[in-house]
Amino acid sequence: MKRETKITVGENRNNSRIWLQGKWLAKFGFVRGEAWQVVYEGGKVIVSTSETGRVISGKGETPVLDINSSKLTEALPQGTAVKLTATMGKIILEKSAAATALLCLAA
């Protein structure tokens, strides 16, 4: 099972913010009350389920992942168009190809 979509990086307290919410998260293993972690690899952000780490919040059966940090701002600045690819236990966030192409044209 795989889900791909495009989102835009938001802003909170002068840092980039990605807010992921919905029952679709549970289908990929991100269950409310379980642990998750974030790893930054250059311009790529990898979110995964984990034995330890932050606890997935939410209400009822609707999980919420809230990513808001200076590290996220470095990897994916506010307003960046992002490709989200979700597979079981992992979500990859990276600049979308369209956004990367526009950056190349502007250079």
Side-chain angles (χ1 to χ4, degrees), residues 13-27:
R13 297 182 182 169
N14 296 319
N15 279 314
S16 292
R17 182 183 207 179
I18 294 179
W19 178 280
L20 304 175
Q21 177 179 349
K23 292 182 180 178
W24 68 270
L25 287 166
K27 292 178 184 175

Side-chain angles (χ1 to χ4, degrees), residues 30-50:
F30 294 89
V31 179
R32 186 173 162 260
E34 298 294 322
W36 64 293
Q37 65 180 1
V38 179
V39 175
Y40 299 90
E41 292 182 1
K44 190 183 289 189
V45 178
I46 301 168
V47 180
S48 59
T49 55
S50 176

Side-chain angles (χ1 to χ4, degrees), residues 46-60:
I46 301 168
V47 180
S48 59
T49 55
S50 176
E51 293 289 321
T52 60
R54 297 176 61 182
V55 175
I56 298 169
S57 61
K59 188 173 185 179

Side-chain angles (χ1 to χ4, degrees), residues 16-18 40 45 67-77:
S16 292
R17 182 183 207 179
I18 294 179
Y40 299 90
V45 178
I67 309 166
N68 177 232
S69 69
S70 58
K71 286 184 179 180
L72 178 62
T73 303
E74 290 174 23
L76 301 170

